[in-house]
Amino acid sequence: MKDKLLKLLNNSYSPYSNYKVACIAVMKDGKEFSGVNVENASYGATICAERSAIVSAISAGYKKKDFESLYVMCDNEKIGMSCFLCRMVISEMFEPDKIIIAMNPRGETISHTVEELCPYPFNEEDLKK
């Protein structure tokens, strides 16, 4: 997965932060969907690599709970973790026991379950009266 992510980093559009991020969502059937961060001069319009990969899978017809794992890499020696917007989307689409793997270009990793990243998620149960 490391080599795929390293190659994918080249597709990042990050002229403002110069912080490239690549992501691969792996589905339960083994299919992979890639994403990169795409920045915008209006910073709020920026999309993160994690959400890009997840939305690509949903656009291809996959559903909530079809996700197996998520791999994320930034072009920094420090291992970057998903932002809280991404964690919200991850907690919506992934089951709590699924693994999120963050790595740096050297291949060092930190792995967490979705439940560890999002111990108190806001979800559909919060919207019920």
Side-chain angles (χ1 to χ4, degrees):
M1 197 61 69
K2 174 187 162 191
D3 291 336
K4 289 179 185 179
L5 288 166
L6 280 168
K7 184 176 179 184
L8 193 56
L9 282 173
N10 293 319
N11 296 346
S12 168
Y13 178 74
S14 47
Y16 306 104
S17 70
N18 293 309
Y19 186 78
K20 295 179 180 201
V21 183
C23 180
I24 297 174
V26 180
M27 311 312 290
K28 288 181 179 177
D29 67 4
K31 179 115 170 122
E32 296 177 357
F33 290 89
S34 59
V36 295
N37 59 324
V38 179
E39 295 180 348
N40 191 281
S42 172
Y43 294 145
T46 294
I47 187 164
C48 299
E50 297 92 327
R51 288 182 284 142
S52 177
I54 291 168
V55 168
S56 291
I58 297 297
S59 296
Y62 286 87
K63 306 291 182 211
K64 180 177 182 172
K65 298 185 180 181
D66 285 342
F67 294 85
E68 182 61 35
S69 57
L70 194 74
Y71 293 82
V72 184
M73 178 187 284
C74 59
D75 66 345
N76 190 322
E77 293 307 309
K78 180 180 176 187
I79 299 173
M81 299 306 294
S82 299
C83 76
F84 280 85
L85 285 174
C86 288
R87 291 180 197 205
M88 183 67 207
V89 174
I90 291 166
S91 74
E92 176 83 16
M93 296 299 165
F94 286 72
E95 294 164 299
D97 64 336
K98 298 305 176 192
I99 303 295
I100 310 303
I101 301 102
M103 72 174 61
N104 66 14
R106 291 192 306 253
E108 299 167 328
T109 64
I110 296 175
S111 298
H112 292 286
T113 63
V114 171
E115 187 172 39
E116 290 169 337
L117 283 177
C118 310
Y120 306 104
F122 178 84
N123 59 33
E124 63 272 8
E125 294 301 315
D126 295 298
L127 299 173
K128 293 180 181 176
K129 293 183 179 185

